[in-house]
Amino acid sequence: MRSIFYTLPFILLFFGYAAHAQEETLSKEEAIDLVLENNLGIQVARNTKRIDDNNASILNSGYLPTVTANGGGTIDRQNTEGVLANGETRKAEGAETRRYNAALNVNYTLFDGLGRYYNYKSFKERSQQSELEVKQTIETTILQLFTVYYEVARLTENTNNLEQALEISKDRLTRARYQFEYGQNTGLDVLNAEVDINTDSINLLNSRQQLRNTMRDLNLILNRELSTGFAIDTTVNFVPGLEMESMHNEAKINNVRLQIVEKDITISNYNVKVARSNFLPTIGLTGTYGWNESNNNSPLAFSLQNTSTGVTGAINLTWNLFDGGRSITGIKNAKITYENQELFKKQIALEVERDIRNAWDSYNNALYVLEVQEKNLQTNQNNFNRTDERYQLGQVTSIEFRQAQLNLLNAELAKSQAKYNAKLAELQMLQISGQLLNVDF
């Protein structure tokens, strides 16, 4: 046991040095800036938004004409024989005919039953919906960020409290040794003090290991080098003046899930109108500018060379009177999809109302627990101070002193846990109400 006692301080010294060899404090604002810039999930969501923006551009609308160019050439060699009107026979060996052509074609749809119009509006809605999905990804990522950030803060406080507990245990061991040397106690008090130091040292080592692991988790969210060291801001500020009715009203308007399903309903409505456009005719314009040339060296040919250019224009109408029932089926299915989106909206609305009420209760309960833990910490602090004074006077045993020390440590850890639980409950409530990105952290 003594070998363990002498080894652990060196281990703690090493890890303590590593823990203090850190970079400057990572503030909450800096963490948010880093996650918005570097997080891979947010980058993917933004790239998806770019795709939807491209789809919603005029180049993908069907409103612009199509222009095509084509050209070709042929060479024909033949042996021919012919009889002229005067009875003369003529032969042409290897008579060659060359033909060339080129054309420029323009096609434009004047009317397609308004299908492209509603498709274009649907793409616009999808682009706006994609922006909401980016916001949703950002909200989820920031909540994840602060879940890990505050866990690092909690473990930092726990580690500091455990370090203080270890120092108290070391002072107790020194005092026990002096008392044993002067015959004021038995060697059992010294052994108990050494055992408690080993226990505190192990707890401190475990806490530091958990802290390092959680710091790597935070670096992963920030998408930076996992070994990057940093200190953490352990202060917690709560948003003042939150009210249940206000949070409930904000959730009905600003909850991103509700906003996304609203876009789904709008897009489904446009899809019904697109399906109906199949019953209307399509009117289009076509235009062609062409050039043709033919060369023939045969003595039997009526014309040795012919060149023509010209412009052709046309208007056409296509009306699909019956397509076997596919259009009718498409309209029915589009209407069913629209009805499903309406039902899904009602379901999301109920879930959001439940979530905001649950979040509000959790938030208030967490605040109450924090208040109780703060009072409990003060009580245990006073109890430990009095026990420490009486222990120095020899009026309490080492076991009673150790119990008071553990009670104080547990109260410190519980108060730290309650503080960060309350803050995370607040952030979850703000996310549901759609206000997470509008507050200071």
Side-chain angles (χ1 to χ4, degrees):
M1 185 174 64
R2 290 182 177 274
S3 62
I4 296 176
F5 172 72
Y6 286 115
T7 303
L8 278 176
F10 292 101
I11 299 176
L12 291 172
L13 179 63
F14 170 77
F15 285 114
Y17 174 79
H20 288 88
Q22 299 172 342
E23 297 179 355
E24 59 185 14
T25 300
L26 176 66
S27 68
K28 302 177 183 69
E29 293 76 14
E30 291 171 340
I32 292 175
D33 291 340
L34 285 173
V35 80
L36 291 178
E37 180 180 358
N38 298 333
N39 184 266
L40 298 178
I42 293 177
Q43 292 181 32
V44 170
R46 285 173 174 163
N47 284 338
T48 303
K49 171 67 169 59
R50 291 171 57 193
I51 293 174
D52 291 324
D53 288 344
N54 292 336
N55 290 335
S57 70
I58 191 66
L59 298 176
N60 192 48
S61 65
Y63 276 104
L64 299 180
T66 61
V67 180
T68 60
N70 55 69
T74 62
I75 299 176
D76 184 14
R77 288 180 176 272
Q78 293 185 0
N79 298 323
T80 61
E81 179 178 324
V83 179
L84 300 181
N86 58 6
E88 181 182 355
T89 301
R90 289 186 181 182
K91 294 182 180 180
E93 299 290 339
E96 184 178 276
T97 301
R98 297 188 179 189
R99 298 182 181 91
Y100 306 98
N101 64 83
L104 186 66
N105 305 301
V106 179
N107 294 277
Y108 183 69
T109 301
L110 291 176
F111 179 75
D112 67 343
L114 298 178
R116 64 181 174 182
Y117 172 75
Y118 290 117
N119 272 325
Y120 183 61
K121 292 181 73 69
S122 179
F123 284 135
K124 287 293 186 182
E125 291 294 326
R126 175 54 197 154
S127 177
Q128 296 174 15
Q129 186 184 53
S130 183
E131 185 174 354
L132 292 173
E133 290 172 351
V134 172
K135 178 183 177 182
Q136 184 180 45
T137 302
I138 291 175
E139 285 183 353
T140 303
T141 304
I142 287 182
L143 186 60
Q144 180 188 18
L145 165 69
F146 279 106
T147 299
V148 180
Y149 185 95
Y150 285 129
E151 180 64 9
V152 174
R154 186 186 71 84
L155 290 171
T156 299
E157 288 188 348
N158 287 0
T159 301
N160 293 335
N161 291 329
L162 289 170
E163 288 175 350
Q164 294 175 6
L166 180 60
E167 291 301 321
I168 292 173
S169 296
K170 289 180 179 179
D171 291 340
R172 174 184 153 209
L173 175 61
T174 301
R175 190 181 305 162
R177 282 176 173 172
Y178 281 133
Q179 291 174 345
F180 176 71
E181 290 177 1
Y182 289 99
Q184 296 179 359
N185 63 23
T186 65
L188 182 61
D189 288 338
V190 176
L191 294 176
N192 287 336
E194 290 181 351
V195 169
D196 291 337
I197 281 183
N198 289 333
T199 300
D200 292 344
S201 299
I202 292 172
N203 291 337
L204 180 57
L205 282 174
N206 291 334
S207 180
R208 285 175 175 171
Q209 180 61 47
Q210 293 176 2
L211 177 59
R212 290 193 297 273
N213 291 345
T214 310
M215 289 175 68
R216 295 188 190 100
D217 293 337
L218 185 57
N219 283 329
L220 179 64
I221 296 174
L222 299 176
N223 189 28
R224 63 180 186 174
E225 177 60 41
L226 297 181
S227 61
T228 302
F230 56 90
I232 210 74
D233 181 9
T234 59
T235 60
V236 171
N237 299 315
F238 293 96
V239 179
L242 296 180
E243 298 179 355
M244 175 59 198
E245 183 177 358
S246 175
M247 291 291 99
H248 189 259
N249 292 335
E250 291 289 347
K252 289 181 178 180
I253 300 173
N254 298 316
N255 181 271
V256 70
R257 291 181 65 200
L258 284 174
Q259 292 177 337
I260 288 175
V261 76
E262 284 283 0
K263 294 297 181 183
D264 282 331
I265 291 174
T266 303
I267 292 172
S268 295
N269 186 38
Y270 286 143
N271 289 339
V272 172
K273 295 178 179 180
V274 169
R276 286 175 177 166
S277 69
N278 292 326
F279 288 105
L280 298 176
T282 299
I283 302 174
L285 291 176
T286 60
T288 302
Y289 175 80
W291 169 82
N292 293 276
E293 180 178 299
S294 175
N295 295 302
N296 193 335
N297 64 357
S298 172
L300 300 177
F302 176 76
S303 175
L304 298 182
Q305 180 172 351
N306 181 41
T307 302
S308 64
T309 59
V311 177
T312 302
I315 183 170
N316 54 72
L317 182 147
T318 303
W319 198 336
N320 194 350
L321 297 179
F322 183 69
D323 61 357
R326 287 190 295 271
S327 296
I328 296 175
T329 303
I331 289 179
K332 290 181 178 180
N333 291 339
K335 287 182 177 179
I336 294 173
T337 301
Y338 178 81
E339 292 174 3
N340 284 341
Q341 292 297 340
E342 289 280 4
L343 294 173
F344 191 51
K345 177 187 175 182
K346 293 180 180 179
Q347 178 183 351
I348 294 296
L350 289 174
E351 291 178 356
V352 169
E353 183 174 359
R354 176 206 61 189
D355 292 344
I356 192 65
R357 293 185 184 277
N358 290 347
W360 177 261
D361 289 345
S362 298
Y363 171 64
N364 281 278
N365 183 71
L367 288 180
Y368 176 75
V369 171
L370 174 59
E371 181 180 356
V372 172
Q373 292 295 352
E374 287 175 342
K375 293 179 180 179
N376 186 48
L377 175 59
Q378 185 62 45
T379 300
N380 279 279
Q381 183 67 59
N382 294 335
N383 178 65
F384 175 75
N385 292 338
R386 294 183 61 184
T387 303
D388 186 38
E389 293 174 358
R390 296 180 63 189
Y391 179 66
Q392 294 184 32
L393 296 175
Q395 296 177 351
V396 296
T397 65
S398 62
I399 296 177
E400 293 173 318
F401 177 84
R402 176 62 175 177
Q403 187 60 52
Q405 179 191 9
L406 291 177
N407 290 341
L408 174 60
L409 176 62
N410 291 333
E412 290 172 337
L413 300 181
K415 183 258 182 179
S416 178
Q417 181 74 67
K419 177 175 67 172
Y420 295 114
N421 284 347
K423 184 59 181 179
L424 290 177
E426 179 190 79
L427 295 181
Q428 290 171 353
M429 182 178 59
L430 290 172
Q431 181 193 23
I432 297 170
S433 66
Q435 299 299 308
L436 182 61
L437 305 182
N438 301 328
V439 297
D440 295 328
F441 295 93

